[in-house]
Amino acid sequence: MPLFSARSLFRLLTIGLLISPITLFSQANLKQQFQNPPAESRPMVRWWWFGIAVEKGELLRELQQMKADGIGGAELAFVYPQVLDDPAKGLRNYPFLSPEMLDCVHYAQQEGRKLGLRIDVTMGSGWPYGGPATTLAEAAGRLRVAEVPIPANSSTITPPALAEGESLVSASIADALPGSTWDAASAQPLPISSTAIAPAGTARVALFFIAGHTGQVVKRAAVGAEGWVLDPFSGQAVENHLKSVGAPLVRAFGDTPPYAVFSDSLEAYGADWTANLPTEFKRRRGYDLLPHLPELVAGGTPSAETVRHDWGKTLTELVDENYLTQINLWAAAHHSRFRSQTYGEPAVSFSSQRLATLAEGESSRWRQFSTLRWATSANHVLGNNVSSGESFTWLHSPVFRATPLDMKAEADIDFISGENLLIFHGWPYSPPQVGEPGWSLYASAVFNDHNPWHPVMPDVDRYIQRIGFLLRQGQPANQVALLLPTDDAWASFSPGKVTVTGAMNSLISPRLMSTILSAGYNIDFIDADAINSVGLGSHSILLLPPTDRIPVATVSKISAWVAAGGKVISLGRAPSVDPEGKTNSQITALSRQLSFVADESGLTEALHQAVTPDLQLTSDQTAIGFIRRKLPAADVYFVANTSNHTIQTKASFGTGHKYGEQWDPDNGRSSAVPTREVDLKLAAYESRVFVFSNVPSHSVADHETGSQIADLSADWQLRFAGTNKTESQATLTDWIADPETRFYSGEVVYTREFNLTNRPSASTYLQVEGGAPLPMPMPAEDRPPLLPNGMPDPRVTLPGPGMQAYYDAPIREAAVVFINGKRAGSLWHPPYRLDVTSYLQSGRNRIEIHVYNTAINAWAAQPPHDYKPLIAKYGDRFQMQDLDKVHPVPSGLLGTVHLVQ
């Protein structure tokens, strides 16, 4: 008997069509949602609670401010103290996980939910996971090698002293070589229980392999959260953390569990060993690791690379099972989700990201390997529609220096890299009694309302919300899948350096990434495990970078994909061996199916011969980035000028649809465009949306503004809102030119009147001109200082790969425009142009431009903060970054101001 009758099946299918997110395409509906995007596409913030010195009244006020700004939610992040307890001022650091602190967590999530905000929580304090509940036995482990010289004819050796928590796992004796080295090929096992050895006529070296600990402690910990970083390879260590830290935090949420629990980027530096590694290695790889430790440490031979490969793969499997899988299952059991930045150290792979419900990335480096593309690619490959990212981590240091234009410059790179949910880094909790500019993280931008330009934040967030919404529609459509050589990465591991993503920075060159992007394609990363499990999806080209090792099962999948019409290009060096370093006939046969390119100089031609690119430009290919989403009956392109100068070029889109429109991301307005030879003019850091379908456009083509109808560049009245100082400016002047306002941070209202003979019948714009590109410095190559044990100093964080807009803007830094008493809009990025047609009238008109700068000018007037008492009480937990750059910066309305048509 059939399960469904024909009639009931038809009804189910009909209902399915009604509720399916993939319905018949309606360009009008998409445009309406673009203009008024749904709340779930709003960006979020990382909300730092310092100390933990918070109080409920301020928590509620800040949540309400987030809501008013267009923020969609907050991730609770508990970090180091900013202040000593001061009862007179109502400042007290509640210990981490204390009843008082957990009561504030409950209150914040409860009030946040009432406001419709999503609330996530970091499942720990600072990073990585660990703290006082992590014992030394459960702390992150490492393999240490002690080398003891043995003179010729010696018959005894003295084993090295062991530190607390260390154990001797193996010993070998090897021939000494010139230059204080030794020959791994000559190594022989040495009993670890005896000090007697057979004498030899030449010098030798005794090698003692010691299981110890990295000694790393939790970075930026709150009061009471201090302790060891846990061993991510140990199921027991992770389970203990979930019980001692995760459970109390989630219980504090009561009946409404956190939307997600969060794990920051894995930064367990040097973690390469765990107590049961030898047993697990033998079970998984089929041979004993311990006799091979000399060649694992020495490297330099094919057999050593094979051992390192097997060691690295085993470490990846252990962190997958004991960290990622365990936390993901725990989160689900607690009615939450696991959001994880699955990269860094230890050895997680690309496919490890399948083990977290929400894979997240970070980085503004779009033309080289990045952990943001690593995460967005995983979401594309695995079918996850939302790709979140930690955004603005190092935005325009020092703190309080970042501007709305800086935000747009990085946000657009995030978007073209595949991100569609920005999580701002971040929002510092700051109580009113500490004054201005308030608390901030040591090395990050500040997006709360202590920043003077905050009145334009709703407009910035609206822009980000619009693009985030649009990039969730349909399906991802990147044409190129770039196969990450994970097996080569494992083979490159060495003690203390066990990071797949770190290895990819060498295996995937910036030149390779840039060549693909400049050729008119966008890229997803993929690895062998993903090809084996889910295939290559809708990608048109599989690109193999220079690669040695590849699994035979993956070769079979690729061969089948080629037979079905897929295109494969191999660059530089085709795979020649399997993961164990052995030749294989299937791998050899694969080379006959490849289009081989010797180097990047021939790659563009090979790509173009394989598949027509998505976006072809006649110039400026290195500056313009894009991403495409494929809808059932439309193609949506987001296109961004990532440079600091205006670009004018022609663009041809690889769509098969007949009609096109371009949409303004700031206001949602549209105009008709062709599908080929589109005249594309983008100001510095400007972006545009293009939508192609078979629905004729009812919008008219856009036109260039040209004729001036009023010059408003002179004779302004100024009022400094913070001091009530007033002045007249015949010529617009920088605030810092006047000693009286050099250190002013805040709002200045510019006012003047002007006459129009008639109310304009054509579109009329307020336009501020005068911006210019600034020189872009070469990226720094600094490395963090190391401790005697070879690990990075946890107290020191050097400036990261920060992003900023290298542009001297005519408005420093943002403005809100009122005409005849009505808010006309804001100006915060090029082109500084605003449609004011509907606000103008014949006769006398009054214009007010409310201009806001950054908090850094007022901050520069304050004496340096004395952190000595804080350090004496709690230790040196952070260092404020780039304090030598804290000085007043140009501020105000500095360009020429016109009304144009």
Side-chain angles (χ1 to χ4, degrees):
M1 182 176 180
L3 185 61
F4 296 110
S5 67
R7 178 174 295 180
S8 63
L9 182 60
F10 174 78
R11 288 175 178 169
L12 285 171
L13 290 173
T14 303
I15 294 171
L17 287 173
L18 290 174
I19 66 175
S20 170
I22 303 176
T23 58
L24 293 177
F25 173 71
S26 167
Q27 187 160 321
N29 182 57
L30 182 67
K31 187 184 297 185
Q32 183 180 32
Q33 288 187 292
F34 179 67
Q35 292 168 338
N36 298 285
E40 59 264 25
S41 57
R42 291 173 179 167
M44 294 177 58
V45 294
R46 179 170 295 177
W47 191 14
W48 292 299
W49 292 15
F50 297 97
I52 306 296
V54 296
E55 60 89 25
K56 292 180 179 178
E58 179 60 20
L59 290 173
L60 177 59
R61 192 200 69 80
E62 294 190 15
L63 286 165
Q64 292 170 337
Q65 186 65 56
M66 293 176 197
K67 176 73 172 182
D69 291 344
I71 297 294
E75 166 206 309
L76 308 186
F78 314 109
V79 291
Y80 57 85
Q82 290 262 18
V83 68
L84 297 176
D85 288 358
D86 189 343
K89 292 184 177 180
L91 296 171
R92 179 188 170 194
N93 291 292
Y94 298 131
F96 184 63
L97 299 183
S98 64
E100 297 90 344
M101 178 259 191
L102 293 175
D103 183 49
C104 288
V105 169
H106 178 78
Y107 177 80
Q109 67 84 26
Q110 185 179 55
E111 296 303 317
R113 296 296 178 90
K114 291 178 183 177
L115 293 166
L117 300 177
R118 165 180 158 179
I119 304 295
D120 292 4
V121 64
T122 303
M123 208 153 54
S125 172
W127 64 93
Y129 284 175
T134 298
T135 64
L136 182 59
E138 294 179 350
R142 67 183 295 228
L143 181 68
R144 180 170 74 89
V145 183
E147 301 177 5
V148 178
I150 304 174
N153 302 314
S154 176
S155 60
T156 60
I157 54 172
T158 303
L162 299 180
E164 182 184 2
E166 289 188 329
S167 62
L168 188 59
V169 297
S170 180
S172 298
I173 189 166
D175 294 340
L177 296 175
S180 301
T181 60
W182 41 271
D183 179 15
S186 69
Q188 296 295 321
L190 185 67
I192 61 176
S193 59
S194 174
T195 60
I197 58 171
T202 58
R204 294 172 295 172
V205 177
L207 307 171
F208 294 92
F209 299 95
I210 300 166
H213 301 281
T214 65
Q216 185 181 0
V217 296
V218 174
K219 299 169 67 174
R220 323 305 178 204
V223 174
E226 308 86 351
W228 303 115
V229 168
L230 64 76
D231 177 359
F233 306 116
S234 166
Q236 182 59 48
V238 175
E239 181 182 356
N240 182 37
H241 183 81
L242 293 173
K243 290 179 179 178
S244 60
V245 178
L249 283 172
V250 171
R251 279 199 301 269
F253 277 70
D255 296 334
T256 52
Y259 182 92
V261 295
F262 176 62
S263 171
D264 211 333
S265 54
L266 302 177
E267 298 179 26
Y269 298 128
D272 59 14
W273 198 264
T274 191
N276 65 341
L277 179 60
T279 301
E280 289 294 334
F281 185 96
K282 188 171 184 178
R283 182 174 71 84
R284 298 161 190 264
R285 308 283 85 86
Y287 65 96
D288 190 353
L289 174 63
L290 298 184
H292 296 276
L293 289 179
E295 56 186 328
L296 183 149
V297 171
T301 65
S303 61
E305 288 184 356
T306 297
V307 173
R308 287 180 167 188
H309 169 278
D310 292 350
W311 170 57
K313 184 175 183 179
T314 303
L315 291 175
T316 298
E317 291 171 355
L318 290 176
V319 73
D320 281 357
E321 296 167 13
N322 294 313
Y323 188 90
L324 296 172
T325 298
Q326 183 175 188
I327 298 173
N328 198 55
L329 292 173
W330 186 92
H334 289 77
H335 310 289
S336 185
R337 303 158 187 84
F338 181 34
R339 179 164 62 88
S340 174
Q341 295 181 351
T342 311
Y343 45 84
E345 299 181 50
V348 288
S349 70
F350 175 86
S351 280
S352 297
Q353 296 177 98
R354 76 192 187 281
L355 303 173
T357 305
L358 306 172
E360 180 169 294
E362 65 177 305
S363 181
S364 57
R365 296 175 171 180
W366 71 288
R367 297 185 75 86
Q368 62 191 82
F369 176 82
S370 77
T371 54
L372 177 57
R373 192 180 295 273
W374 166 275
T376 61
S377 297
N379 286 319
H380 291 168
V381 168
L382 299 172
N384 302 324
N385 194 42
V386 176
S387 283
S388 63
E390 177 186 306
S391 301
F392 314 133
T393 305
W394 294 96
L395 189 69
H396 206 159
S397 184
V399 297
F400 301 113
R401 181 64 186 86
T403 70
L405 177 56
D406 293 323
M407 294 178 69
K408 186 178 190 302
E410 180 168 333
D412 287 351
I413 287 177
D414 294 342
F415 289 137
I416 61 180
S417 299
E419 186 177 342
N420 55 27
L421 171 59
L422 274 63
I423 300 181
F424 297 176
H425 188 282
W427 184 294
Y429 171 93
S430 190
Q433 56 266 47
V434 303
E436 298 297 338
W439 288 345
S440 66
L441 196 73
Y442 66 97
S444 183
V446 174
F447 301 115
N448 62 21
D449 53 347
H450 290 265
N451 228 327
W453 53 257
H454 199 80
V456 304
M457 182 63 93
D459 296 310
V460 178
D461 289 341
R462 190 70 159 180
Y463 168 81
I464 291 171
Q465 181 186 6
R466 278 200 179 104
I467 305 303
F469 158 77
L470 202 64
L471 296 183
R472 300 181 194 184
Q473 305 311 299
Q475 299 296 322
N478 291 346
Q479 291 175 291
V480 174
L482 181 59
L483 180 56
L484 299 175
T486 305
D487 288 284
D488 286 356
W490 284 328
S492 73
F493 280 8
S494 62
K497 297 179 180 179
V498 292
T499 163
V500 173
T501 49
M504 291 303 162
N505 284 306
S506 300
L507 295 169
I508 307 298
S509 71
R511 185 183 178 194
L512 170 58
M513 292 290 296
S514 189
T515 300
I516 301 169
L517 294 168
S518 295
Y521 305 85
N522 210 332
I523 307 164
D524 280 329
F525 297 143
I526 199 167
D527 71 355
D529 286 344
I531 291 176
N532 295 346
S533 61
V534 299
L536 283 153
S538 61
H539 297 99
S540 304
I541 301 171
L542 176 64
L543 180 61
L544 277 60
T547 303
D548 294 318
R549 288 171 162 79
I550 189 170
V552 175
T554 308
V555 171
S556 298
K557 292 283 187 178
I558 294 173
S559 297
W561 186 69
V562 171
K567 308 293 184 180
V568 183
I569 299 173
S570 176
L571 177 71
R573 187 174 67 254
S576 57
V577 295
D578 67 11
E580 287 71 42
K582 300 175 182 177
T583 57
N584 181 280
S585 59
Q586 286 183 262
I587 296 174
T588 303
L590 176 65
S591 62
R592 294 192 290 270
Q593 298 177 289
L594 305 174
S595 173
F596 182 78
V597 179
D599 57 36
E600 287 85 355
S601 63
L603 182 56
T604 298
E605 182 180 355
L607 289 166
H608 286 178
Q609 287 179 353
V611 175
T612 301
D614 248 339
L615 179 61
Q616 298 184 75
L617 303 168
T618 57
S619 65
D620 297 285
Q621 292 88 348
T622 62
I624 292 180
F626 78 97
I627 190 167
R628 176 168 70 98
R629 298 286 295 190
K630 185 172 182 59
L631 279 64
D635 287 320
V636 174
Y637 289 78
F638 173 74
V639 180
N641 178 5
T642 68
S643 77
N644 60 356
H645 58 272
T646 297
I647 288 176
Q648 191 157 7
T649 186
K650 287 187 179 296
S652 291
F653 295 87
T655 181
H657 296 292
K658 297 178 182 179
Y659 305 104
E661 287 188 344
Q662 61 177 346
W663 295 357
D664 186 330
D666 286 312
N667 53 40
R669 295 173 184 166
S670 62
S671 59
V673 295
T675 59
R676 299 288 185 273
E677 294 293 305
V678 177
D679 289 320
L680 183 62
K681 182 178 181 181
L682 294 172
Y685 304 111
E686 188 181 9
S687 57
R688 203 78 51 80
V689 170
F690 294 87
V691 179
F692 300 98
S693 71
N694 292 326
V695 178
S697 173
H698 299 294
S699 302
V700 298
D702 201 5
H703 69 280
E704 285 281 327
T705 56
S707 59
Q708 173 179 294
I709 64 171
D711 184 351
L712 306 179
S713 300
D715 301 325
W716 290 86
Q717 302 297 313
L718 277 65
R719 179 176 62 84
F720 289 77
T723 63
N724 281 325
K725 169 185 165 62
T726 60
E727 64 178 70
S728 300
Q729 285 190 358
T731 302
L732 293 169
T733 305
D734 190 342
W735 303 351
I736 69 172
D738 182 350
E740 191 175 345
T741 56
R742 175 174 174 79
F743 295 102
Y744 180 81
S745 289
E747 175 188 13
V748 174
V749 182
Y750 290 70
T751 307
R752 62 158 293 168
E753 295 182 342
F754 60 94
N755 290 311
L756 294 177
T757 303
N758 298 298
R759 182 177 182 179
S761 57
S763 295
T764 303
Y765 300 87
L766 177 72
Q767 187 163 295
V768 182
E769 299 176 327
L774 295 171
M776 301 178 67
M778 296 297 292
E781 293 294 333
D782 292 334
R783 295 291 182 266
L786 301 180
L787 296 171
N789 66 357
M791 296 296 102
D793 188 339
R795 298 170 301 169
V796 177
T797 301
L798 293 178
M803 179 73 191
Q804 70 179 77
Y806 289 94
Y807 190 75
D808 187 8
I811 297 175
R812 301 292 300 272
E813 301 299 338
V816 177
V817 178
F818 292 82
I819 295 180
N820 296 320
K822 297 180 179 179
R823 190 184 192 276
S826 64
L827 297 168
W828 54 278
H829 68 82
Y832 292 90
R833 189 179 73 166
L834 189 63
D835 188 341
V836 295
T837 311
S838 62
Y839 303 95
L840 298 172
Q841 60 192 24
S842 61
R844 187 176 298 276
N845 289 264
R846 178 182 176 88
I847 180 171
E848 288 186 359
I849 303 180
H850 296 235
V851 178
Y852 311 91
N853 66 344
T854 73
I856 202 167
N857 290 17
W859 190 30
Q862 297 181 8
H865 188 82
D866 183 8
Y867 289 103
K868 292 187 183 68
L870 194 66
I871 293 172
K873 174 73 173 179
Y874 296 117
D876 192 1
R877 302 194 186 198
F878 69 99
Q879 300 77 38
M880 296 297 294
Q881 299 291 292
D882 293 330
L883 293 180
D884 59 318
K885 298 177 182 178
V886 178
H887 52 73
V889 297
S891 302
L893 182 60
L894 305 176
T896 56
V897 186
H898 308 272
L899 284 179
V900 297
Q901 289 183 335

